[in-house]
Amino acid sequence: MTQLLSDIANRQSAAREVMARLGVASVNSGASAGDWIEQPAGGEIASYNPSDGSELGRVLLAAEEDYDEVLWRATHTFERWRLLPAPKRGEIARELGDELRRAKDDLGTLVTLETGKILAEGKGEVQEMIDVADFAVGLSRQLYGLTMHSERPGHRMYEQWHPLGAVGVISAFNFPVAVWSWNALIALVCGDTVVWKPSLKTPLTAIAVQHICNRVLGRHGWNGVLNLVIGQDDVVGDRLLHDRRVPLISATGSCRMGHIVAQAVAGRLGRTLLELGGNNGVIVTDDADPDLVVRAVLFGAAGTAGQRCTSIRRLFLQKGVAGAITEKLIAAYKQVRVGDPLDPATLMGPLIDGNAVENMMRGLRAIREQGGEVLTGGGRLNTGAGYFVEPTLVKAHPHMAILKEEIFAPILYLIEFDSLDEAIGWHNDVPQGLSSAIFTTNLISAETFLSARGSDCGIANVNIGTSGAEIGGAFGGEKETGGGRESGSDSWKAYMRRQTVTVNWSRDLPLAQGIKFEL
Ligand code: UN1
């Protein structure tokens, strides 16, 4: 017990040092438009460390008037920011990337303290921000439009892309900073300003990132380009969704939350970019390499304690390999070291909070009621006040109703199948459509999975798991995942408005479609 208490005390003083270096300790305001709002009036919350339940810090929340102040700054700054040449905006993205490189260890540690994900993943999340910053720098010189051949003589036709306005970014606890960067850094080079509403479970990482933004933008005399409002959903969230000054809301979260966001924003004919729940499946055919499968599944299903939207939830095993892979997985799951996410030996940290644990336990009860058999795991772990659970394998029947739900926890269903067509049918028979994968050494099976009658997801992989996507691709999914695409490829187009331009440089006025309209 004494050892445990002194461990906790040590951890807490280490946490305080990291937060002091990141400037989190010196600010208890949760609203900033370059300058921090000194006494926001929306009440106060605490941020907790899910590993031991201890309080990491307290944050003052934005009230409606604080939100309005930030929005005013964001919309007014937009009027000037949109006129700065995109490559100059890119220079700011590069400096943000440089600062993030310097802050990687501290910010990664803070991500771990606040989310409970292991340190390698906490730092990986910051690396993802750095990668996006680099991508955004290049993109700032590549916001290309097309040119078309006009059907009229002496006419030139092309399209150009203009900044959109003040963009709202709503982020989730599980990727508290990387997903913000996918949106914010792309929006920034596109010439938008950003208003960020982070999860109330991870306010400190948001404040730390905002400090970095303020420092970099402040050096260049900019205030109000990247903004933060930490507040309650029914105060700040609602206002943001209904605010006609905000042309685009990019939101990450559950499908339930996505329905609320989509309907509110559609009600004012605003745009949404939604990245919602996943229910990601992996198909393993008889010819797959079993060791590759086990390694990939372990990271994809138990990694981040199953709290990625891309986590593997359903594993379809062809009957010839099902037995062997199940055995290997059970053995591997029993060796997963669950515990302090700051300890380099740990593979799986805690769930985010007590509700998440309850939710997992409720899910397991339903699984058992529906005929699922827990092969290993299934329990809470008694590690003090932390929210630790066991990584869990479930033998499932393909038609269990619960298979259609996303349980945000390390539960993996194992389902046996005969033919690839049958597996693809079951795989696609869920409301969500984010990420998917097949493990096979057979070209025909791989290409079938990637074909129009294969996976119906936004992401489809061969011989790698469903999570851990690189930033260079467009990230997002179909069906109830919301249809949005963020980060790489041409996702930037969501943050700009397209303008089709026709210039008549002749001295005549020919009409399109050959129409004659003369006096
Ligand atoms: C999420 O869980 O919301 O592909 C994002 C991945 C990460 C991002 C996950 N790059 O798993």
Side-chain angles (χ1 to χ4, degrees):
M1 191 61 185
T2 328
Q3 176 62 34
L4 185 70
L5 287 178
S6 92
D7 276 358
I8 291 177
N10 286 341
R11 263 208 307 267
Q12 283 171 348
S13 78
R16 272 195 297 274
E17 278 170 32
V18 166
M19 290 193 287
R21 280 200 294 276
L22 289 166
V24 171
S26 62
V27 156
N28 72 352
S29 166
S32 167
D35 300 324
W36 293 93
I37 295 177
E38 278 195 7
Q39 282 293 321
E44 193 182 79
I45 51 154
S47 172
Y48 297 98
N49 182 342
S51 299
D52 56 18
S54 66
E55 194 176 298
L56 288 166
R58 300 186 82 80
V59 175
L60 293 181
L61 299 181
E64 289 186 3
E65 60 267 29
D66 306 309
Y67 167 87
D68 281 336
E69 188 174 331
V70 171
L71 238 289
W72 186 89
R73 184 71 69 79
T75 47
H76 281 77
T77 305
F78 171 68
E79 287 174 15
R80 289 181 297 120
W81 181 248
R82 64 184 169 180
L83 301 178
L84 189 71
K88 296 271 178 236
R89 300 192 292 250
E91 282 172 24
I92 305 262
R94 190 181 59 241
E95 286 187 31
L96 283 166
D98 289 346
E99 291 263 353
L100 287 166
R101 279 185 172 84
R102 280 193 283 277
K104 182 173 171 181
D105 286 354
D106 282 340
L107 191 53
T109 304
L110 187 58
V111 169
T112 289
L113 286 168
E114 224 179 14
T115 66
K117 64 173 71 172
I118 60 170
L119 195 53
E121 293 188 52
K123 290 185 190 172
E125 174 152 4
V126 182
Q127 186 59 46
E128 197 160 336
M129 303 171 82
I130 295 166
D131 295 342
V132 174
D134 288 351
F135 180 83
V137 179
L139 187 63
S140 71
R141 291 181 185 269
Q142 300 177 74
L143 302 169
Y144 300 138
L146 299 171
T147 63
M148 302 87 189
H149 286 265
S150 171
E151 65 188 59
R152 289 169 283 185
H155 282 56
R156 183 162 73 88
M157 240 174 111
Y158 69 98
E159 59 188 25
Q160 57 179 352
W161 293 84
H162 285 312
L164 205 54
V167 168
V169 175
I170 299 173
S171 60
F173 79 84
N174 67 328
F175 273 81
V177 285
V179 174
W180 165 83
S181 74
W182 296 353
N183 288 281
L185 300 184
I186 305 292
L188 173 109
V189 295
C190 288
D192 300 324
T193 57
V194 175
V195 177
W196 179 17
K197 181 192 172 302
S199 162
L200 290 184
K201 291 171 190 163
T202 51
L204 299 180
T205 46
I207 290 175
V209 168
Q210 184 66 27
H211 270 292
I212 294 174
C213 298
N214 289 354
R215 197 155 59 231
V216 170
L217 282 151
R219 274 205 293 264
H220 296 269
W222 286 101
N223 258 334
V225 176
L226 297 174
N227 307 284
L228 177 69
V229 272
I230 305 178
Q232 301 287 358
D233 289 349
D234 57 355
V235 182
V236 163
D238 258 20
R239 245 180 136 72
L240 187 61
L241 297 186
H242 292 98
D243 196 330
R244 289 178 188 277
R245 293 170 295 180
V246 181
L248 169 70
I249 300 282
S250 176
T252 305
S254 64
C255 295
R256 194 189 61 79
M257 174 257 220
H259 279 103
I260 297 169
V261 172
Q263 288 176 32
V265 180
R268 59 177 173 90
L269 297 183
R271 288 194 204 168
T272 46
L273 199 171
L274 300 174
E275 201 252 286
L276 309 174
N279 189 350
N280 313 296
V282 170
I283 295 176
V284 179
T285 59
D286 284 342
D287 49 69
D289 173 346
D291 290 324
L292 210 62
V293 172
V294 172
R295 279 164 52 202
V297 168
L298 203 59
F299 174 69
T304 335
Q307 295 177 111
R308 292 191 189 216
C309 56
T310 49
S311 293
I312 305 175
R313 314 237 175 256
R314 300 173 298 139
L315 184 63
F316 299 95
L317 298 169
Q318 199 159 23
K319 286 203 169 124
V321 279
I325 290 187
T326 303
E327 266 174 41
K328 278 177 192 279
L329 276 175
I330 294 174
Y333 263 57
K334 288 191 168 146
Q335 287 171 39
V336 172
R337 290 174 302 273
V338 182
D340 180 0
L342 289 170
D343 180 343
T346 301
L347 280 188
M348 198 179 109
L351 292 180
I352 188 70
D353 58 17
N355 280 343
V357 176
E358 285 313 317
N359 203 32
M360 174 171 173
M361 297 305 141
R362 240 194 328 270
L364 283 164
R365 280 195 294 278
I367 286 166
R368 289 193 173 98
E369 274 162 31
Q370 291 176 27
E373 181 197 342
V374 174
L375 299 174
T376 177
R380 308 165 197 247
L381 285 170
N382 261 341
T383 347
Y387 304 113
F388 294 96
V389 293
E390 292 174 313
T392 301
L393 289 176
V394 170
K395 192 172 165 56
H397 309 290
H399 303 296
M400 284 163 55
I402 195 133
L403 291 181
K404 298 198 195 289
E405 283 173 36
E406 177 189 46
I407 301 175
F408 224 54
I411 299 176
L412 178 67
Y413 301 110
L414 309 183
I415 302 146
E416 295 189 10
F417 70 90
D418 285 310
S419 74
L420 181 58
D421 282 345
E422 177 183 54
I424 291 174
W426 293 341
H427 173 274
N428 290 348
D429 189 22
V430 291
Q432 311 84 347
L434 179 55
S435 188
S436 61
I438 188 167
F439 279 78
T440 184
T441 50
N442 180 307
L443 179 73
I444 297 173
S445 302
E447 292 292 337
T448 302
F449 183 73
L450 299 175
S451 75
R453 68 178 174 89
S455 162
D456 63 359
C457 293
I459 298 169
N461 295 332
V462 177
N463 292 332
I464 59 167
T466 56
S467 64
E470 300 174 23
I471 60 98
F475 184 95
E478 301 300 326
K479 302 192 287 185
E480 286 190 14
T481 301
R485 292 296 186 280
E486 294 172 314
S487 185
S489 184
D490 65 352
S491 304
W492 60 270
K493 291 179 176 169
Y495 304 86
M496 301 197 85
R497 60 184 171 87
R498 183 197 315 240
Q499 190 167 64
T500 303
V501 180
T502 310
V503 178
N504 176 7
W505 56 274
S506 76
R507 292 185 190 281
D508 294 322
L509 195 66
L511 298 178
Q513 294 87 44
I515 293 172
K516 294 277 176 253
F517 197 84
E518 308 276 347
L519 288 176

